[in-house]
Amino acid sequence: MALVDQSLPYVRAISPYQPGKPIAELAREQGVDERHIIKLASNENPRGMSPRARAAMERALGDLERYPDGNGFALKAALAERHGVGVDQIALGNGSNDLLELVARVFLAPGRSAVFSRHAFAVYPLATLAAGGECIEVPARDYGHDLDAMAAAIGADTRIVFVANPNNPTGTHIPPEALHAFLARVPADVLVVLDEAYHEYLPPELRGETVGWLRQFPNLLVSRTFSKIYGMAGLRIGYALAAAEVVDLINRVRQPFNVNSLAQAAALGALEDHGFVAESYAMNRAGMEQLVMGLKRLGLGHLPSQANFVTFKVGNGVAVNARLLAQGVIVRPIASYGMPEWLRVTVGTEPENARFLAALEKAL
């Protein structure tokens, strides 16, 4: 018997996550200058990172021979003050993906299940399968979460429910009152992981007091990231807010130094730069309007989005994506999400959005 046959069968069943195509990879494939390529595939902030975050990171460069603070004391203190929670209610991760996987390691195993929606973030089934758990995928409603169906799908062996709000890759949003009512229906021994990676892109009136709900629902975990509006995707840092008992369990399975020194320093600087976040939010709203108007002009349907991307229907997603790549424009095919006729484009700068729309018209 081959060595790989001795591996865990539920690990062999996993289809690896496919990230957005890197600019350098397309440049090699097409034989073109990287400067002529735009990437609107991975929901990154086109403005880059906050100047304060960059300056804080640069100040930390002189101490890289030492291990990072494994407890993230300074960053946790700043986050605790920001959100009005205890320091013991915060877990740091190597991106919010890390935290999703850590939660799965804590609560899932063979004989246990996790519930999530169809067309939701690909890491939910990956994390579930890697822990040996069973995936319960609930059919979507209008490409978003059907909370009634998800509540009904919770079984005696269910230990986690994953909810993305806004959802990736569809951009759909659950109103706060509907989400609160759902939490009240979930059994107290089932953890609800509320993935709010795109929370800062929501209009203020749609955000809700999700962190405040932790006092009412000890089985709630809220995950956030510095990868999106803060523009720090390459540094890999996110955090979770939950009951202290849940955070204690996460800390038992995480790597001792899972968040590096530069990421911690940059995150502290980013939290102080309220102007950068406000400007990024405004730019995103304007860019979203530009893209939606362009898609309508081309006669293409799209899903209303509350994030920093928009998903649109082209018919043959593979063919249209290939024609965009040939023009040096990278967007995201989402056939792996059960949406082969759709593509997802990140909101870029005004010139990037215009170039994308021109390339899309040609690709059609």
Side-chain angles (χ1 to χ4, degrees), residues 7-287:
S7 63
L8 296 168
Y10 50 80
V11 173
R12 296 198 300 272
I14 295 174
S15 296
Y17 179 81
Q18 297 295 327
K21 182 183 287 290
I23 289 175
E25 181 178 330
L26 182 61
R28 290 193 301 269
E29 292 174 353
Q30 300 289 339
V32 298
D33 192 320
E34 291 186 16
R35 293 173 295 179
H36 296 216
I37 297 173
I38 61 170
K39 182 184 177 186
L40 300 173
S42 299
N43 305 338
E44 299 144 338
N45 187 336
R47 302 181 67 218
M49 68 191 304
S50 154
R52 289 194 185 185
R54 188 177 299 278
M57 181 181 68
E58 290 173 350
R59 288 194 296 271
L61 288 172
D63 205 29
L64 293 186
E65 73 279 7
R66 303 193 182 279
Y67 285 104
D69 178 355
N71 193 43
F73 176 83
L75 180 55
K76 283 185 179 180
L79 289 168
E81 182 178 358
R82 167 72 62 90
H83 294 295
V85 300
V87 172
D88 59 354
Q89 291 183 263
I90 303 171
L92 302 180
N94 186 33
S96 58
N97 282 16
D98 185 29
L99 293 158
L100 300 177
E101 294 170 4
L102 291 173
V103 166
R105 287 182 61 190
V106 169
F107 290 99
L108 297 178
R112 298 184 173 198
S113 66
V115 172
F116 49 84
S117 175
R118 182 164 172 76
H119 312 312
F121 189 33
V123 167
Y124 306 153
L126 291 179
T128 300
L129 291 170
E134 177 190 356
C135 296
I136 300 179
E137 184 183 84
V138 177
R141 176 186 293 176
D142 298 327
Y143 295 96
H145 292 60
D146 185 339
L147 294 182
D148 289 336
M150 292 179 70
I154 296 173
D157 65 351
T158 300
R159 292 294 172 265
I160 297 178
V161 178
F162 290 104
V163 178
N165 201 39
N167 182 51
N168 174 30
T170 62
T172 53
H173 172 255
I174 306 167
E177 58 273 13
L179 190 55
H180 187 274
F182 172 76
L183 287 167
R185 297 176 60 186
V186 176
D189 61 351
V190 175
L191 182 72
V192 177
V193 176
L194 181 57
D195 182 352
E196 294 189 330
Y198 300 92
H199 178 79
E200 292 85 2
Y201 284 111
L202 284 171
E205 65 273 14
L206 297 182
R207 294 180 186 179
E209 299 296 330
T210 53
V211 174
W213 295 349
L214 294 172
R215 291 186 289 272
Q216 182 181 357
F217 301 107
N219 62 327
L220 172 64
L221 180 146
V222 178
S223 68
R224 302 270 178 91
T225 184
F226 286 93
S227 295
K228 304 306 177 186
I229 204 166
Y230 290 104
M232 293 165 45
L235 287 172
R236 308 308 303 128
I237 180 166
Y239 61 98
L241 308 169
E245 295 81 4
V246 174
V247 170
D248 175 62
L249 292 171
I250 292 172
N251 283 329
R252 296 177 188 222
V253 297
R254 72 173 177 87
Q255 293 292 316
F257 305 107
N258 63 328
V259 179
N260 68 73
S261 301
L262 298 183
Q264 291 186 43
L268 271 169
L271 287 174
E272 299 172 356
D273 201 339
H274 303 286
F276 176 85
V277 173
E279 292 163 7
S280 296
Y281 171 85
M283 178 178 172
N284 183 70
R285 302 300 289 185

Side-chain angles (χ1 to χ4, degrees), residues 118-119 142-144 169-172 295 299-305 309-322 324 331-345 356 360 364:
R118 182 164 172 76
H119 312 312
D142 298 327
Y143 295 96
T170 62
T172 53
L295 293 171
L300 298 177
H302 74 282
L303 300 179
S305 173
F309 56 84
V310 59
T311 296
F312 57 101
K313 194 171 187 178
V314 295
N316 189 336
V318 172
V320 174
N321 181 60
L324 287 171
V331 298
R332 188 65 182 268
I334 50 176
S336 61
Y337 285 92
M339 302 174 67
E341 296 183 310
W342 301 75
L343 296 174
R344 189 195 70 194
V345 61
F356 156 73
L360 179 60
L364 295 171

